[in-house]
Structures are given as structure tokens and as C-alpha cells.
Amino acid sequence: MEYNYQAIEDRWQKLWDEKKIYEPVMGGTKFLITVPYPYCNGALHIGHGRTYTIADIFARFKRMNGYNVLFPMAFHISGTPILAFSKKIERGDKTTIDLYKSYMELYGDDPEKVYEFSKPENIANYFANKIILDFKNLGLSIDWTRQFNSGEKIYNKFVEWQFRKLMARGYLKQGDYPLLYSPSDGNPVGEDDIQEGDTDKVSITEFVSVFFEMGEYNLLASTLRPETLEGVTNLFVNPDSIHSIFLLNGMKFIASNEGFNKLRYQLKVEKIGEIKGNEMVGKVVKEPLHGRSIPIIEGKFVDPDNASGIVYSVPYHSIWDYVALKESGAIIEPIKVIEMDEEENMEDIMRKFNISSLSDGEKLEEATKFLYEKEFYHGKIIRGDYEGKFIKEIKDKIVEDFISKGIAIKFYETSRKAYTREGDRVIVAIINGQWFIDYSKQEWKEKVKGLIDRMELKPDPLKSQFLQMVDWIRERPCARRRGLGTRLPMDPEWIIESLSDSTIYTSLYPVIRYLREIGYENLDDSIFDFIFLGENVLENKDERIKEIARNARKEFEFWYPVDLRHTSYPHISNHLTFYLFQHVAIFPENDWPVGISTGGIVISEGQKMAKSKGNVIPLLTVKRKYGADLFRLYLASNADVWYDVDWRSNEAENYTRKMERFFELASEASKVVDEPDERDLWLIARFNRRLAKAKQSFESMKIRDASIELFFNMLNDVRDLENFAGKERMLRVVRKFADKWALSLSPIIPYISEEIHSIYGGSEFASLQNYPVPDNSYENYEKEWQFIESVIEDYRNILKISQEKHSKLIINTAEDWKWELLERYRNEGKHIMKDIDGEKRDFVLQLIKKGDIKADIRNEADVLEKYKDDLKKFLNIDIEINGEIPPGRLKKAYPGKPSLTLS
RNA sequence: GCGGAGGUUGCCGAGCCUGGCCAAAGGCGACAGACUCAAGAUCUGUUCCUAUAGGGGUUCGCCGGUUCAAAUCCGGCCCUCCGCACCA
């Protein structure tokens, strides 16, 4: 029978669907496994497929081990990307339209319907449906009856409830916060609103703008290195740029016009005049720390469009300043502020980086970075209030001090010059009243740590990574002005941000159908309190709703908490950490998560998948080209769960042949009627040994080990038997365990497993069978075979170095006295060396050196006799057992390793 | 810098926790043979060096240490990758 994966997979998928075998009802020992839901803005690629497949393999294994497994999923649509895409399509953005057309073509839909995507919910629904198809194709044992998406009204109500709880527990707060912003648009902007925003990320840089007094004015000079202020020797002002004079807190300031226009969005300032740069050059200002007078020097290199457009100069520690001063011809003695074990001299740096003038911009940048890193991590301050401190320890404190002393302000600037897709400038604005979740609360952190401590976390390092995260996590902005999602109930101007609205939604899986029954318009906090927290607060509801709620509560209590949440490691530092915090904040302790596992990502042909590289492989392509089973097997066996998988198409081709071989073996064997030859029973022993090992591997999520044992190594064993004993004999043995073999692989390759199981007369689904139990009653046959194998290996070894032609192989087993000594050695240890000598001594010495023997069978000669004909044929040489050989040769014979003589 | 992972024989990648059966699984690649008119696919064998009898030598980032014995344990050093947030 030919292996037609397409037909097999279609058939079983349909049957699973029809019989609803992955839609569990309450009862037995439950196991709830979840994976973070995907964001529905495009076709899924093989990386998404992996995370779900690993979870599915584990779910299937658990199911076959008697657990009542619930594996639900839902869809994420909150946030800005979907909205942004739909806007772009509405605007007619060609790149986006082409991208979405290509998705639609991939799925065989009419690309002209792309214009329906100008409604964001159409994007979300379209891809949610495609994801369902993709995942059904993959053979995931998901209960689709419990799906929902994060844009549903029920979901909104639920998240509102969650945030009111957070508020009541004091975990929400408001404050000011810098954001990327488009002044012409009057709105914050995200990555996808910015030109090249996805490939060249824009972040917010925090400058410190220090006040330098010039008469009644303060010049605002900006720096990224406030710790060097002690070493300031002068200011640089661009003579050609126009500067604004403005009021801030009643004081008069000067900054470049460009700088002032940014500051307007960060602080309350009022422009009262202008002054040109060259009017200031040559004047003197007072530095704020000691009131020293320093000159303003002309600096044409100063970019008025960077921060406040005025800089202060620290020639001892800044290569820019050093070179600029050198060029200006001014005679100024640098002041040293930072000391390092290995001092860097500016002249050396100039040589090292091949800098000759200010026009070497790139090299100057490079040198600046080099110097800064060195000084930041190794430099110690040697002047002023912070003398003796390391910069890395004190930098933040310095900034705070300057601000509280009233000698500086923070100035937020974009990390590079950025423009919106419409071409308008992107700057940084301070948003007032930004909402935060206050993850910095100590008591909260302690509880989370307690939880982490008792959770089952895989792989092991996950625990310390989580603990680290808990220590570091601070306030997190949790709402935005735009995007899809749930409005913040206490301040509906704000929309809850997408990572904050998806932290405890796993609790909806058990009860979503009841909530639908109740209807979103009837949902209020009391119902959620009742269902999720068991608080008895339903008095004034009508009986029907009370009844449904009581059932929901029952189902929630049954399934919750989540036994295992599996995802890829990039989620550790965000989603998973929030997931833990939020559960601790909202739910009683017995509903806190039980286990988390993280896995690697998928790379393609050795490279990270990225749209820009054009090497993203859609899930659908793989399924079509190779089939789901092959893909699953590949994922399972290519790398351990927690390492990255490298998808290589030529290896995938090789898997195709293995799959075919497996299928053909099983189906051909099913037609054989003869009983196996006793000599070949070792293969059954081998299978059972591998099965036992694989089962253990599965338990600890070592899916790779399990798949290699059961699939690849087993196929090799079968091949060995075929080569040794011929196909006919091999098939007779394979028939004996093929069904069990298929079942043992069912978690990994469920479709082919169903097919083989049915060929062998199984009337129930393989997916619902008990996982096969290893049978160790064949052990002895394997020992005998191991012995034969080692003889074959030895023979080949000798053959390699012996170049003469031979027609006969004489095999002599070890003399009895050697077996006796071996027995004594095992019982008494090396002490027996005392009272033996000569040949015996040599023998025991070898034992000590080489360790015990592999194949321990006393009747070696009988076994050899048994396999003699096979060996003859296989090695293509005449064989004699315990024949005449030169006396010295017998010395080579050891228990488990007979002497071989060629003649 | 902080935290995590890792450096293994041409490549990928097991082994390391629980030292000895480890010249080190498996795959890829390469070489040779079988099949074929031929190529491919498939199958078989070889693949650190050396040796015309199963032996010897040198290997598991580098340097030391523990041990009868170390890829595996301990100490130090060098190097690589990942995360460090408001982005799903």
C-alpha cells in the first residue's frame, strides 16, 4: 500500500471532527493545557505551528495516559497592528495590499476581496478562520467549541471586571509618560506608523538638559552623559541657528527653535523671543555646579535638531568635544572626571579610530560608543559629590539630583530622526495621566515568587529567569489612546493595551459557552465574582441566570487551574510574567498556574525567519508539500523542545522516505501470516526497550528523545534485521508489534498512527487508546542478538586490517575458567589479583581495564550455532564454531567476545 | 553590565546531572561498492591518525586541579548566542 498522506490525513481529520473526540466533558482526572493565543493579522508560519504542535504532542500523550485533556484556544485581535493594516488598506498602501493579496492567494481566495480588510474585524475574522483550518490540518487535538476572541463583548466585560479588581486592589495608577508622537496628527504613533519603523526601530532616548546661566537667561545644554558635568570646559552653540527664548517655571531659557518645538510637547513652556547663535558665541556662562565661568564657543557641527540644540563640552571624556576644540583653535585645558584602570588618551583614540577631523562622523560615533561603554562599566568618578563611585551605579541618581537641585530637566528625543508614513515629523511627547499597572509592589512580587517556587517549570533555567523578571519588573503602561481592545472602565478615553488585556483569559475557556448563554448584556461583576472567585453574590439575578452561573462555576472549578502553559521563550519576559502576576492578583491560590514550559523558535535553513529576508514559511505550504505528520515528526525530532528548530527542506525530503518506509513496513507486515522465527524475536525486545525509554522521555517532555528512539532508531533496527535475516523474516516479526509501534508514535504522528491502527483491526481511534505498556519478556533474545552483533562488528574490524583473502571464519568462545574468574571478580572485586598469576592475571587485568562485558550469555556456543547459517549468509564466509586454531589465538577469547580466526 | 544558554570529531547535533562499556548516538555531507545504458533515488560499507589479526596514538574552547580513571566533577580564563519591556 502506498503512503498517501493527503488522503490519510483528510480522512482521519474528518472522522475526529465528526466524532468530536477532542471535546471533553467533566470527569476523571483533568489536564488543562494552553498555549498563548495567536494574533490574527496574517498567515501563520511554521514557528507558530511548532509551539502548538509541541503542546499537542504533550496533550495527546497525556490523553493516552488516562487524563481527561482539555486543549482549548482563542484568538487575539487587540492592539494596533490590525487597525494599522486596515487603515493602510483603506488608504490604498500598495505594499500592504500586496502582502494581504499574497495571503489570500495562498489560501486560494479571491485576492480582490482584499478591500474588505479596510474593516479591522474582517482581517481578524478572516485570519482566525484560516488559523483554525491550518491547525485542524496540523492534527491538533484542540476543542474548538470553546473559542472566542479578544474583541468580543463578553471578553470586554471580562477584562473590565479584571481591571476593576486591579483598581480595587491598588494595582493601577496614573502618571506622566513619554511616547512617540506626531504633532501634526495629534496622536501617539506606533512602530507601524513610522517610515522604516519595523526594520529600523525607533526608541525614546533620555537626554539631560543642564542649565547654564548667561545673565538673566539659562542656556539649555543637552547631554547623554550628565556624569561628566564636573568636567565641562565650554559650551558649543551653532552660530547659524535661530534659538528660542522661552519661559519655564518662571525662568528664562534658551534652546534651538527645533528643540523648543519639541519641548512644547513635554513641558509647559512659553516662547517670548528669539536669538541667533552667533549673538551668543564669545559670551561667558556659569556652569551650575560651582559657578565657574566658561566660554561659549562656536560649533557649526552642533545639530539644532537634536535635543535642545546646544551642547556642553567635556574634552577629557568626549572625542567629539576634543576634536571640536582642537579645530576651533581655542586653548582649553581638559578636566578629568572619570578614572579607569586603563586610561584612554584622546590622541590615541584618534589614531586608533583613524579620526582626523569633525567630518569623520561615523568614526567619531564609533569611538564615542567605545569610550562610553568603557567608562560606563569601568569608570570611577574622581571629582565632586560622587567621588569614588562607579558610573553604572550612580548615573540614575545623578540625573535625579540635578533635577531636584533645579539645575537640569529631562529632554526626551527619538533615537533617530523619524517620520510618519505621511512624512510628518515624529517627536517625543509626554502624555499626562497615563495608566500603569504597578508591578513594583513588593507584597505582590513576594506572592509571585512564592508561586514560581512551587511551580513545575521546564526547562530548569526558567525558574531563575522568572525570579529575575519579578525583581526587575516595574510599572507598566497598560493603556493606549488607540487600537482595538477593551476600554479602561475607570477612564474610557483609554484602551487597554494588548499585553495587559490577555493575562487571565485562560479562565474563560471552561466557561465561555455559559457566558454566551447568559449573554453579554446580562454580564456584570457579580457574575464574574461568582464564577471565578466563588463569591456568593447572585441574589438579585433571575433563576435562569443563576442556574447557568452555577453550572459555569462547576465547570470552572473542575478545569481550572491551567496545568501546563506552553509557549516560546520570547514570551518569558512579558506575557508569561504578567500571566503569573495577574493570576496572583485576581484568583485565589488554588487557581494559580501549575506548570509552564517554554520552547525554542523555528529558523529556516539556518537563518532566522523574517519578512525582510523573504524566508518565512507559511504553515499551509508545509502541510501541502509534506503532510502534517511529517512536519510534526520533524519538529519533534530535530531539536529538543527548548532549542531552536532548523527547518531544512532537503532534510524534510529525507523524512518523506522514512515516513513511507514506516508506513509500508507496517502495512506489508499486516498481510504476513507466518509466525516469526525465534532467532528474530530480539527485535520485539528492542522495541519494548525503546518504548520504555521513550515513555520516560515523554513524561519529562523530552519529545526529541522519544521520537528518535521510537521512530528513527527503531527503523534502523528493523533494517538491521532485514539485512541479516531477509525481508520475509523481518516482516513476520514486525507484524507482532506494528500496532503497538504505531500507537506509541501516535502523539507525534497521529494520522499515520490511526491508519496503521485501523489496518491492524483497531476499531477505536488510536488517539484515544491507552499508551502501550512495555513488555520485557523478550529480554533474553536481545542479549543473544547483542552478542551476535558484537561478533559481526569484530569480524569487520579484523577484515579491515587483514588484507589476505579468507574463506573461513573460526569462532572460539572463551574457556570456562574465564567465566569462573569473571564471576569471582564480580563478587570479590579486584582483590582476587593477589592469588592468581600468569594468564589468569592478564585476564583479570583486562577485565579491570575494560569493565564488564556487554552481552552476558553463558551458552555462547549454542547461540552461535543457532545463528550460524544466518551469519554465513550475511558475512558471506564459511563458519566454524570452536574449531582448531593456533593455541595463542584462544587467548583473545573473552566472555562475550569470542576469538575470531580467519583462514 | 545584569540574567540565561552554550562552545563536542567536515557540518548539524546527542552525551555531561548519575565519571569507566566513549573515538564518542543519529542526521547531513564526502568516499567506495551494489543496482542502472547513464544520472538520480535506493541499498551496503567506510569516514580523527596509524597498523596486513581485533592493537597503538591523539581528540570533546583554553589552562590547571581532583581521581586508578574526565567530554563528563572542581577552579580560573577566552569566545558565541538570547532576553533586558511597553512590541505583538
Side-chain angles (χ1 to χ4, degrees):
Chain A
M1 210 186 305
E2 207 176 293
Y3 173 49
N4 180 347
Y5 64 84
Q6 209 81 49
I8 291 174
E9 295 183 0
D10 286 352
R11 174 158 74 252
W12 290 101
Q13 189 183 314
K14 203 164 148 244
L15 283 169
W16 289 340
D17 255 8
E18 277 170 19
K19 302 282 178 189
K20 304 179 188 303
I21 67 171
Y22 305 125
E23 297 169 18
V25 295
M26 290 185 277
T29 314
K30 68 98 183 178
F31 191 84
L32 175 56
I33 181 168
T34 66
V35 173
Y37 50 20
Y39 190 72
C40 318
N41 68 331
L44 293 190
H45 58 69
I46 54 178
H48 300 109
R50 182 186 186 199
T51 306
Y52 279 87
T53 300
I54 297 295
D56 185 61
I57 290 173
F58 203 60
R60 286 176 175 278
F61 179 72
K62 282 279 172 189
R63 194 176 287 118
M64 291 181 81
N65 279 280
Y67 287 87
N68 186 7
V69 175
L70 173 57
F71 182 15
M73 82 170 273
F75 301 94
H76 200 200
I77 70 166
S78 320
T80 49
I82 288 180
L83 195 64
F85 282 125
S86 68
K87 266 194 188 161
K88 280 186 202 167
I89 287 168
E90 193 173 27
R91 275 205 307 264
D93 178 82
K94 189 152 176 347
T95 329
T96 310
I97 289 175
D98 287 349
L99 176 69
Y100 277 83
K101 276 187 174 172
S102 76
Y103 289 147
M104 301 182 88
E105 275 161 18
L106 177 72
Y107 287 115
D109 292 324
D110 178 10
E112 287 315 307
K113 290 195 172 170
V114 74
Y115 298 100
E116 292 174 10
F117 288 167
S118 55
K119 278 190 182 152
E121 60 269 30
N122 289 349
I123 296 187
N125 289 334
Y126 181 82
F127 286 105
N129 286 324
K130 296 306 175 189
I131 289 169
I132 294 174
L133 277 181
D134 279 350
F135 279 3
K136 279 190 175 175
N137 279 333
L138 260 191
L140 301 186
S141 57
I142 287 174
D143 180 353
W144 294 105
T145 64
R146 299 171 190 264
Q147 56 165 303
F148 52 85
N149 75 55
S150 68
E152 289 184 40
K153 291 224 165 60
I154 292 175
Y155 195 94
N156 298 150
K157 292 261 186 178
F158 171 71
V159 172
E160 284 167 21
W161 169 75
Q162 176 191 359
F163 272 76
R164 274 193 286 266
K165 281 275 173 284
L166 291 177
M167 188 71 178
R169 283 163 202 186
Y171 293 152
L172 288 187
K173 67 179 198 188
Q174 271 184 297
D176 299 337
Y177 197 72
L179 274 182
L180 294 177
Y181 186 84
S182 161
S184 62
D185 204 33
N187 257 318
V189 293
E191 192 175 282
D192 31 67
D193 303 314
I194 297 171
Q195 285 179 24
E196 317 280 309
D198 45 348
T199 47
D200 185 5
K201 245 186 133 174
V202 180
S203 57
I204 294 172
T205 306
E206 200 178 291
F207 280 84
V208 174
S209 296
V210 182
F211 308 168
F212 288 86
E213 201 181 313
M214 183 180 77
E216 57 175 320
Y217 304 114
N218 284 290
L219 268 65
L220 212 47
S222 298
T223 180
L224 288 168
R225 302 193 55 192
E227 72 276 10
T228 61
L229 183 58
E230 287 278 352
V232 64
T233 59
N234 62 285
L235 296 192
F236 284 116
V237 167
N238 191 326
D240 303 326
S241 58
I242 312 290
H243 293 72
S244 296
I245 303 171
F246 60 92
L247 288 172
L248 168 64
N249 297 332
M251 284 155 61
K252 287 178 184 162
F253 286 88
I254 296 176
S256 68
N257 272 352
E258 292 86 343
F260 170 78
N261 282 327
K262 293 170 197 162
L263 213 48
R264 275 172 41 198
Y265 292 91
Q266 300 180 10
L267 294 168
K268 209 166 173 255
V269 290
E270 184 191 341
K271 186 161 174 171
I272 54 173
E274 281 190 348
I275 179 170
K276 210 175 168 208
N278 57 15
E279 291 176 54
M280 295 185 277
V281 170
K283 296 205 167 136
V284 184
V285 295
K286 278 189 190 160
E287 56 88 13
L289 291 174
H290 310 288
R292 282 186 287 126
S293 290
I294 56 170
I296 299 175
I297 294 177
E298 171 181 303
K300 293 203 171 184
F301 63 93
V302 176
D303 179 3
D305 195 11
N306 189 24
S308 61
I310 298 174
V311 300
Y312 72 73
S313 156
V314 186
Y316 202 98
H317 298 287
S318 157
I319 184 79
W320 277 100
D321 297 346
Y322 183 83
V323 175
L325 278 178
K326 216 170 150 179
E327 270 183 25
S328 77
I331 299 171
I332 275 176
E333 186 62 26
I335 302 170
K336 181 175 172 182
V337 186
I338 297 157
E339 185 174 71
M340 287 187 294
D341 294 344
E342 287 168 50
E343 283 286 326
E344 297 290 342
N345 173 293
M346 285 299 173
E347 290 295 326
D348 290 344
I349 299 265
M350 283 180 71
R351 270 191 295 277
K352 189 168 169 184
F353 287 87
N354 195 18
I355 295 165
S356 52
S357 76
L358 281 176
S359 52
D360 296 322
E362 263 177 45
K363 292 175 200 162
L364 281 162
E365 281 304 323
E366 216 179 296
T368 301
K369 206 178 158 218
F370 167 80
L371 253 184
Y372 178 65
E373 277 186 8
K374 235 175 150 155
E375 292 187 345
F376 183 78
Y377 293 121
H378 308 289
K380 202 187 248 181
I381 295 177
I382 55 164
R383 307 178 79 91
D385 294 349
Y386 311 101
E387 199 181 322
K389 304 278 191 199
F390 284 98
I391 294 168
K392 62 178 172 188
E393 292 163 2
I394 202 73
K395 181 149 184 167
D396 290 344
K397 174 105 170 55
I398 293 176
V399 177
E400 270 173 48
D401 282 1
F402 284 2
I403 291 170
S404 63
K405 276 189 202 158
I407 60 168
I409 53 170
K410 279 188 190 175
F411 192 117
Y412 297 100
E413 181 61 280
T414 54
S415 57
R416 64 167 169 94
K417 293 216 164 78
Y419 302 87
T420 64
R421 304 264 179 204
E422 287 77 26
D424 296 319
R425 188 62 193 271
V426 173
I427 62 154
V428 180
I430 288 184
I431 306 296
N432 299 309
Q434 169 72 48
W435 286 89
F436 297 86
I437 297 174
D438 189 3
Y439 288 117
S440 65
K441 288 230 185 301
Q442 210 48 45
E443 44 90 28
W444 199 2
K445 288 189 177 199
E446 287 310 317
K447 278 194 206 160
V448 174
K449 280 185 183 172
L451 169 61
I452 289 168
D453 212 48
R454 61 164 209 240
M455 282 182 79
E456 261 182 65
L457 300 169
K458 280 181 185 133
D460 291 338
L462 194 53
K463 184 171 180 172
S464 51
Q465 269 175 297
F466 271 135
L467 290 173
Q468 171 81 0
M469 270 314 295
V470 173
D471 276 335
W472 280 38
I473 197 167
R474 315 188 291 261
E475 298 93 344
R476 180 196 160 83
C478 63
R480 310 180 66 173
R481 294 292 194 175
R482 49 201 283 276
L484 304 175
T486 305
R487 291 191 178 274
L488 199 61
M490 54 288 297
D491 193 350
E493 298 272 282
W494 293 89
I495 293 156
I496 294 165
E497 165 276 335
S498 58
L499 276 172
S500 301
D501 84 342
S502 54
T503 55
I504 57 168
Y505 68 93
T506 46
S507 59
L508 287 175
Y509 289 130
V511 301
I512 184 71
R513 36 173 92 134
Y514 300 101
L515 299 182
R516 289 198 202 289
E517 232 181 298
I518 292 171
Y520 75 89
E521 63 283 355
N522 293 319
L523 287 176
D524 60 22
D525 284 2
S526 68
I527 291 180
F528 290 122
D529 284 342
F530 175 78
I531 294 176
F532 294 121
L533 308 179
E535 286 170 17
N536 211 4
V537 285
L538 291 181
E539 303 85 53
N540 41 14
K541 295 272 177 282
D542 71 53
E543 250 337 290
R544 188 188 73 93
I545 288 177
K546 274 191 196 168
E547 183 57 28
I548 301 169
R550 275 194 286 268
N551 287 334
R553 172 69 187 161
K554 239 190 267 166
E555 185 122 6
F556 177 75
E557 281 187 292
F558 179 76
W559 292 108
Y560 229 62
V562 177
D563 295 285
L564 182 69
R565 188 156 180 81
H566 177 75
T567 184
S568 58
Y569 58 72
H571 277 142
I572 295 171
S573 61
N574 44 60
H575 168 72
L576 287 175
T577 303
F578 304 150
Y579 172 74
L580 296 180
F581 267 90
Q582 294 286 336
H583 271 85
V584 164
I586 307 286
F587 291 100
E589 209 165 323
N590 58 342
D591 287 324
W592 293 357
V594 177
I596 289 180
S597 61
T598 55
I601 57 175
V602 178
I603 59 177
S604 161
E605 311 289 344
Q607 293 225 298
K608 221 172 189 166
M609 282 192 287
K611 274 192 194 126
S612 53
K613 286 185 196 154
N615 63 348
V616 177
I617 303 174
L619 209 43
L620 191 67
T621 318
V622 167
K623 147 81 191 170
R624 279 185 191 149
K625 196 160 170 200
Y626 303 102
D629 276 340
L630 185 148
F631 177 63
R632 295 173 62 110
L633 181 66
Y634 191 102
L635 292 180
S637 63
N638 180 274
D640 248 325
V641 170
W642 20 93
Y643 294 105
D644 295 349
V645 158
D646 189 0
W647 175 265
R648 293 170 190 257
S649 52
N650 81 317
E651 282 208 38
E653 303 285 346
N654 291 325
Y655 276 61
T656 309
R657 289 189 279 282
K658 303 261 185 202
M659 295 288 290
E660 282 165 3
R661 164 117 176 115
F662 175 62
F663 184 72
E664 279 158 18
L665 266 176
S667 52
E668 280 182 44
S670 73
K671 292 172 206 140
V672 172
V673 285
D674 293 329
E675 284 301 304
D677 191 303
E678 192 223 328
R679 287 170 292 183
D680 305 330
L681 291 178
W682 62 267
L683 188 66
I684 301 183
R686 194 57 70 86
F687 168 70
N688 280 289
R689 193 159 56 82
R690 295 203 187 281
L691 175 63
K693 208 174 151 199
K695 204 169 172 178
Q696 263 188 354
S697 299
F698 266 129
E699 298 282 1
S700 45
M701 277 191 90
K702 290 184 176 170
I703 291 168
R704 177 174 200 254
D705 286 355
S707 64
I708 288 179
E709 279 296 324
L710 287 172
F711 193 79
F712 296 96
N713 289 348
M714 215 39 233
L715 277 179
N716 286 350
D717 291 336
V718 172
R719 183 197 59 205
D720 287 348
L721 177 59
E722 182 173 350
N723 289 334
F724 188 75
K727 188 168 184 185
E728 174 54 32
R729 264 166 66 182
M730 175 275 287
L731 285 176
R732 281 191 245 157
V733 190
V734 168
R735 180 175 70 104
K736 284 293 180 188
F737 66 91
D739 187 27
K740 250 176 125 176
W741 191 10
L743 287 177
S744 73
L745 282 161
S746 167
I748 298 169
I749 44 177
Y751 290 117
I752 199 171
S753 169
E754 291 285 4
E755 186 72 14
I756 293 173
H757 182 62
S758 79
I759 290 175
Y760 280 83
S763 53
E764 299 287 328
F765 287 107
S767 304
L768 301 180
Q769 298 303 300
N770 284 328
Y771 199 78
V773 178
D775 170 4
N776 58 11
S777 60
Y778 293 84
E779 259 175 21
N780 268 332
Y781 298 105
E782 197 187 6
K783 272 193 189 146
E784 292 183 359
W785 171 249
Q786 275 174 341
F787 172 67
I788 298 296
E789 261 186 328
S790 81
V791 171
I792 296 169
E793 204 187 310
D794 268 1
Y795 169 72
R796 286 195 167 134
N797 255 328
I798 296 167
L799 211 57
K800 253 191 280 180
I801 38 184
S802 143
Q803 294 180 354
E804 289 160 40
K805 291 240 170 199
H806 309 283
S807 57
K808 193 170 167 191
L809 170 66
I810 309 169
I811 307 173
N812 290 67
T813 56
E815 308 94 304
D816 284 346
W817 62 263
K818 286 179 179 163
W819 282 98
E820 283 152 21
L821 265 181
L822 171 65
E823 201 53 40
R824 260 190 82 191
Y825 170 70
R826 280 176 181 166
N827 292 333
E828 301 169 40
K830 15 186 173 177
H831 310 292
I832 57 171
M833 290 286 275
K834 287 197 295 270
D835 40 59
I836 51 173
D837 52 14
E839 221 181 7
K840 298 188 172 181
R841 198 184 164 86
D842 290 346
F843 172 70
V844 176
L845 217 57
Q846 283 295 312
L847 274 182
I848 295 171
K849 221 171 129 191
K850 300 247 170 180
D852 211 333
I853 59 172
K854 266 190 217 172
D856 184 6
I857 37 168
R858 279 308 299 263
N859 56 340
E860 289 180 354
D862 297 344
V863 173
L864 284 169
E865 201 60 55
K866 190 157 89 182
Y867 284 96
K868 190 172 161 186
D869 291 342
D870 289 340
L871 276 171
K872 229 182 200 166
K873 226 190 303 172
F874 183 58
L875 300 178
N876 196 21
I877 191 169
D878 201 18
I879 287 181
E880 186 179 345
I881 291 153
N882 284 333
E884 283 287 316
I885 51 169
R889 295 223 47 80
L890 199 56
K891 209 177 164 197
K892 286 280 179 192
Y894 288 93
K897 192 177 187 316
S899 153
L900 306 183
T901 310
L902 294 172
S903 75

